[in-house]
């Protein structure tokens, strides 16, 4: 055993304990997704979805692209570094799962049960709906009130749950109310009774 | 570097690996490409979701005029459903509480703590990767400990506070781990089940049975049941059995109508599928895992095995005393133990039998 220091936060850091596979491929495969690469992949994916002219662009949500590291067909070949982009069509309630390599779509699948994590934009939209609702607006104007988000649905609809909680000295001390927001219809559908 | 989703390399205790949190509000911590002493052990490990049925009926968590919730089982984490919540990454030094948003980590390096401990007279050296996540009123700690014996101890800690409206309600945490072991590389592994039949070695006292099909399995403490993923090719030396890793799971609770098995043996189908997101869609249970654990396994040339492992804990609240204001962290986990993977050399020989070492 050696006393090598840890190399935390290095994207391709290696020690003498790394396998041959890691030594060969980590530096080129496990590298961060750049902002330009991410934006390009999102554009490519969006174009692929909009190739169907019946799809309305204003009803699409493009989720943040992610690195997709895929095993090769044979063990000595290099793993693939791809970019995975999910696009949800609110009209059809489906998620397009698109894999991009070098600005080319290499895989495009429809997932009827896909439930991508809610994005900051979706939570902001949900908060705006609650702030504009007379049942919740005054409560949310209180700076000690925060929203604790949850997922009320079984996965098919884009329903976002909001638990209005009072925070005292950085910890939640009370549950005030709860609501469910349908992001597809842009409406508060439960709560505030 | 991005705020989330990058691969961070760490090493120590004979291990080299990468950690990653792909989304700050989803399925928690992932471990990638864990190598021990120059050999690949784990392609990827994660604890993406939990299924938590409560005793019922439950009172609503919002206004008093709400009807009782129709569902009393939460699916938390990746693809949260059934009034469950995602795992929201906290700053690793966040208090054990139902925290406000000020404790939410803005970047992954503030969410993960990495510790390297030297060996002592009692324990091997270790490399531990830990992160904590808020999940409604609960807190979950994801902890992966890799030690210089080649063992991996995977733990989930439960903290935070009791249900805000139903603090008296007992519940069960079914915690699901996705384990993609690649023993010295992938595609040539078999899945085996161990049975201790008795003590007569002239008969079949202990047996490892190679499974020919994907499927789900139950623990059986009466036969010391455990599981193994074994390579068919890689060996330490000729005349030594091929390398493998055993999966040893403590039996702390039973299955129920929402969580129906202890282990599923399935095969790798891609890094963007079968990660647990869709589990719970049908009935807030794990029915979807049965769907992916179907089909044959290649017992001749091996398969690329992916195992789902469940660790359980029945939580009977101590609401008037120890758990009145917060939940003392309670850890449950399982063990990945090497068999014929490497020849370990003693590192703890002390030079002076008359005097203990400084750490003693």
């Amino acid at each position: 055993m050696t006393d090598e220091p840890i190399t935390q936060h290095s994207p391709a850091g290696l020690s003498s304990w790394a396998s041959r596979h890691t030594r060969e491929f980590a530096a080129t495969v496990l590298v961060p997704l750049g902002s330009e690469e991410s934006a390009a992949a999102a554009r490519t994916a969006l174009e692929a979805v909009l190739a169907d002219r019946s799809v309305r662009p204003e009803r699409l949500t493009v989720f943040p692209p992610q690195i997709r590291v895929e095993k090769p067909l044979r063990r000595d070949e290099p793993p693939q570094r791809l970019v995975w982009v999910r696009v949800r069509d609110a009209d059809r309630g489906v998620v397009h799962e698109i894999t991009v390599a070098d600005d080319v779509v290499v895989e495009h699948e429809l997932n009827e049960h896909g439930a991508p994590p809610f994005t900051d934009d979706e939570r902001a939209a949900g908060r705006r709906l609650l702030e504009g609702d007379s049942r919740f607006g005054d409560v949310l104007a209180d700076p000690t009130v925060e929203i604790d988000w949850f997922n009320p649905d079984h996965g098919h609809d884009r329903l976002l749950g909001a638990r209005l909680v009072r925070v005292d000295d950085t910890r939640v001390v009370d549950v005030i109310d709860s609501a469910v927001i349908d992001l597809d219809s842009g409406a508060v559908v439960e709560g505030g009774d | 570097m991005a705020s989330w989703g990058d691969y961070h390399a760490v090493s120590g205790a004979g291990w080299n690996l990468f950690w990653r949190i792909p989304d700050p509000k989803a399925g928690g911590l992932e471990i990638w490409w864990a190598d021990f002493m120059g050999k690949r052990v784990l392609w990827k490990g994660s604890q993406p979701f939990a299924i938590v049925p409560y005793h019922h009926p439950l009172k609503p968590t919002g206004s008093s005029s709400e009807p009782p919730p129709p569902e009393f089982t939460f699916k938390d984490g990746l693809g949260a459903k059934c009034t469950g919540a995602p795992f929201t990454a906290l700053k690793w030094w966040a208090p054990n509480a139902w925290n406000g948003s000020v404790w939410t980590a803005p970047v992954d390096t503030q969410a993960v703590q990495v510790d390297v401990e030297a060996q002592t007279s009692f324990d091997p050296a270790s490399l531990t990767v830990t992160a904590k996540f808020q999940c409604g009123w609960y807190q979950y700690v994801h902890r992966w400990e890799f030690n210089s014996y080649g063992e991996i101890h995977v733990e989930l800690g439960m903290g935070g506070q009791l249900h805000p409206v139903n603090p008296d309600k007992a519940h069960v945490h079914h915690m699901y781990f996705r384990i993609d072991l690649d023993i010295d590389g992938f595609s040539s592994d078999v899945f085996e089940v161990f049975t201790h039949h008795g003590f007569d070695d002239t008969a079949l006292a202990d047996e490892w049975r190679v499974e020919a099909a994907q499927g789900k399995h139950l623990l059986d403490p009466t036969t010391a049941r455990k599981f193994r993923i074994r390579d068919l090719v890689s060996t330490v030396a000729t005349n030594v059995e091929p390398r493998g890793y055993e999966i040893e799971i403590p039996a702390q609770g039973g299955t129920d109508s929402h969580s129906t098995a202890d282990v599923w043996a399935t095969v790798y189908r891609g890094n963007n599928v079968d990660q647990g997101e869709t589990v719970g869609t049908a009935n807030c249970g794990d029915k979807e895992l049965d769907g992916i654990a179907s089909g044959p396994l290649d017992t001749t040339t091996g398969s690329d095995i992916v195992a789902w492992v469940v660790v359980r804990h029945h939580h009977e609240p101590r609401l008037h005393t120890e758990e009145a204001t917060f939940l003392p962290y309670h850890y449950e986990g399982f063990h990945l133990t090497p068999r014929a993977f490497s020849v370990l050399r003693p590192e703890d020989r002390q030079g002076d039998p008359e005097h203990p070492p400084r750490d003693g």
Side-chain angles (χ1 to χ4, degrees), chain B residues 80-275:
Chain B
K81 295 172 179 64
C82 314
T83 65
F87 299 152
T88 297
L90 295 169
K91 297 169 183 171
W92 64 259
W93 61 94
N96 182 0
W98 186 2
N99 288 309
S101 60
V102 69
W103 289 107
T104 302
V107 60
D108 56 3
T109 49
Q110 289 191 19
V112 173
Q113 188 187 36
V114 178
D115 285 319
V116 178
E117 297 290 337
Q119 65 180 358
T120 71
S121 291
F122 299 99
D123 290 306
S126 63
L127 164 65
T128 306
V129 184
T130 312
K132 61 173 65 172
F133 301 88
Q134 199 72 47
C135 181
W137 45 88
Y138 249 93
Q139 231 181 64
Y140 289 119
V141 177
H142 291 184
R143 175 183 289 168
W144 295 73
E145 179 192 307
F146 302 81
N147 72 27
S148 58
Y149 295 163
E151 298 164 342
I152 307 174
H153 300 294
V154 192
E155 289 192 314
L156 186 125
M158 293 154 276
Q161 72 172 58
L162 293 170
H163 193 297
V165 182
N166 300 274
D168 59 324
K169 289 297 185 186
H171 49 278
V172 177
H173 294 267
H174 300 291
M175 298 163 286
Y176 289 72
F177 298 80
R178 184 181 182 275
I179 305 298
D180 185 358
L181 285 164
D182 282 351
I183 308 301
D184 195 18
F186 57 87
S187 290
S188 54
D189 295 339
V190 292
F191 180 79
E192 300 174 303
V193 179
F194 176 82
T195 302
H196 168 65
H197 295 289
F199 292 95
D200 183 0
D201 275 340
T202 63
L204 187 61
D206 287 345
E207 177 191 19
W208 278 106
R209 185 183 71 245
V210 178
E211 293 293 313
Q214 301 173 57
K216 62 183 182 182
H217 301 266
L218 297 173
L219 293 176
D220 180 10
T222 64
T223 62
R225 184 169 293 167
K226 57 184 176 178
F227 308 91
R228 179 166 67 181
I229 293 176
R230 180 169 59 87
D231 194 272
L232 289 173
V233 180
S234 177
T235 59
V236 170
T238 54
N239 302 323
V240 175
E241 63 181 315
R243 290 184 164 93
Y245 261 76
E246 298 179 4
I247 304 173
E248 299 175 302
I249 311 166
Q252 290 284 328
T255 57
D256 56 37
S257 57
H258 289 80
S259 183
T260 60
D262 297 299
V263 172
W264 284 259
T266 180
V267 295
Y268 183 85
R269 294 181 175 89
N271 183 44
N272 62 330
V273 295
D274 301 342
Q275 303 292 312

Side-chain angles (χ1 to χ4, degrees), chain A residues 47-68:
Chain A
E47 288 169 8
V49 175
L50 290 172
D52 178 350
R53 296 296 178 87
S54 68
V55 173
R56 297 190 293 168
E58 67 272 21
R59 299 291 287 163
L60 299 180
T61 301
V62 182
F63 294 88
Q66 293 193 8
I67 300 170
R68 174 182 172 186

Side-chain angles (χ1 to χ4, degrees), chain A residues 4-39:
Chain A
E4 293 187 40
I6 65 169
T7 51
Q8 189 182 2
H9 311 327
S10 169
L14 299 175
S15 72
S16 60
W17 303 311
S19 65
R20 186 172 61 86
H21 182 273
T22 298
R23 290 178 180 283
E24 285 187 18
F25 302 120
T28 54
V29 174
L30 303 186
V31 293
L33 182 65
S35 56
E36 288 184 16
E37 182 185 19
S38 175

Side-chain angles (χ1 to χ4, degrees), chain A residues 86-157:
Chain A
R86 307 173 87 184
V87 181
R88 186 171 183 278
D89 182 344
D91 284 336
R92 294 166 174 80
V94 297
V95 177
H96 295 259
E97 300 187 330
I98 297 165
T99 301
V100 178
D102 297 326
D103 292 335
V104 174
V105 173
V106 296
E107 190 177 288
H108 185 167
E109 294 184 345
L110 272 184
N111 186 348
E112 294 182 359
H113 301 293
F118 290 106
T119 65
D120 288 342
D121 287 346
E122 288 180 303
R123 281 185 286 270
R127 184 182 178 94
R128 283 194 299 273
L129 286 167
L130 292 175
E131 287 172 338
D133 188 310
S134 59
R135 296 170 294 178
F136 305 102
D138 290 345
V139 177
L140 283 171
D142 182 340
T144 66
V145 173
E146 294 188 359
I147 299 175
D148 184 50
W149 302 103
F150 64 98
N151 296 32
D153 192 35
H154 286 230
H156 197 66
D157 299 323

